[in-house]
Amino acid sequence: MPVDASLVGRTFPPTRPHTVSEEKVRELAATTGAVWDGGPVPPTFPIVLAFEAMNAFLADVGIELSRIVHGDQRFRYERPVRVGDVLTASLTVASVRSIGGNDIIGTTSEVLDADGSLVCATSATLVHRGAA
Amino acid sequence: MSLEPGTELAVQRYVVRRSDLVRYAGASGDFNPIHWSDRVAAEVGLPGVIAHGMYTLALAARAVATWTGDAEVLELGAKFTAPVVVPDDDTGVEVEVAGTVSSVEDGRAAIALTVTSGGQKVLGMPKAVVRA
C-alpha cells in the first residue's frame, strides 16, 4: 500500500532522551576499526538518534523496516556531539513521492540537546520498496 | 596537514566483512535484516546482503578524520547510489575512499570524496566540510 501523502509536514514525537556515553561512542567508533581515545565523537553518531526516530515513524505508519532502503543521508552540525549530552531527535516528513511502485520518503530530523538547542540537523531519503 | 584547495588525499582502504555489519547493526541500532540475512535480502529483491549505507559513510568519515587529524566536521553526507554487497565469507569486500580538497574559505574546508567498491562508485556526491 502506498505511503499516505498527507503525512507530509507531520512531525513525530521526539525520541526518548539518549545520554551519550563513552561506551556507546567507543562501540560505534570500533565498527570502522577505529579506537576511540576520548577525542571527538564520530560525526555519524547522530544516526543513532535519527534511526530511532525513523523506527518510530515506520512503526506509526505501518511500514516494515526490511522494505526500506536508505537513499541518502546528510548531516549539518551546529556543534559536535559530546559525551554526556542528553539528546533527542524529532522526525518530520518532508516529502512523499511514488516512482515505479516505490515510495520515496524525504525526512528531516533535528537532534536537540537537553536545553533544546540544535546539535545536528539531518535529512534522509527512505526508499520504500513496494511488494513485487 | 595543510588543507589547500586541490590537495589530493591519500586513498584509504577498508575491508568490510559480514561480521562488521553485525557489529554496526548493534552499535547503530539499525537491525534491518537486509544487512545480515541473505534470505530477507533475496525476498526484497537485493543482490545479496548489503552494507548499511551509513556504514559506508562512517568509513568515509573515518578517512576524513585520518586526513584532517580529527578536524571538527561541519557537514557530512552522500547518496547511497549502489549497494555494497558483503559476502558471507572470510574475505569480505574492499571499500576505497579517495578525497580532494575542493575549497577552503571562511574557515571551512570542503572535501569531495570518491567512494568505490570493486571499481564502482557506491556513494553519490559524498562530501564532508570540516573546520579549517
Side-chain angles (χ1 to χ4, degrees), chain B residues 27-104:
Chain B
S28 68
D30 182 347
F31 291 100
N32 191 330
I34 65 173
H35 303 304
W36 49 267
S37 166
D38 290 288
R39 177 179 54 84
V40 175
E43 275 173 12
V44 299
L46 292 168
V49 161
I50 64 172
H52 307 72
M54 275 304 302
Y55 182 63
T56 306
L57 189 59
L59 293 175
R62 188 180 170 204
V64 170
T66 301
W67 291 325
T68 64
D70 271 332
E72 181 185 347
V73 177
L74 303 172
E75 291 177 32
L76 177 70
K79 292 183 181 179
F80 305 122
T81 47
V84 175
V85 176
V86 180
D88 182 14
D89 63 18
D90 295 328
T91 311
V93 65
E94 195 172 70
V95 170
E96 262 193 29
V97 184
T100 304
V101 180
S102 50
S103 69
V104 183

Side-chain angles (χ1 to χ4, degrees), chain A residues 24 27-28 30-34 40 43-44 47-48 51 65-68 70-77 80 129, chain B residues 23-24 26-30 32-34 40 44-45 54-55 58-59 62 70 72-80:
Chain A
K24 193 69 185 172
E27 183 189 2
L28 201 69
T31 64
T32 63
T44 53
I47 198 65
V48 175
F51 197 85
L65 179 61
S66 65
R67 294 221 156 263
I68 291 289
H70 204 164
D72 72 21
Q73 186 83 39
R74 293 184 189 282
F75 301 92
R76 190 173 51 74
Y77 307 90
R129 296 163 70 96
Chain B
R23 183 185 273 243
Y24 183 78
S28 68
D30 182 347
N32 191 330
I34 65 173
V40 175
V44 299
M54 275 304 302
Y55 182 63
L59 293 175
R62 188 180 170 204
D70 271 332
E72 181 185 347
V73 177
L74 303 172
E75 291 177 32
L76 177 70
K79 292 183 181 179
F80 305 122

Side-chain angles (χ1 to χ4, degrees), chain A residues 6 9 14-15 20-21 23 38 44 53 59-60 63 68 71 80 85 95 106 112 115 117 120 122 129 131:
Chain A
S6 72
T15 54
V20 178
S21 70
E23 287 76 10
T44 53
D60 189 286
I63 294 176
I68 291 289
D85 277 340
S95 61
L112 307 180
D115 298 332
S117 299
C120 171
T122 183
R129 296 163 70 96

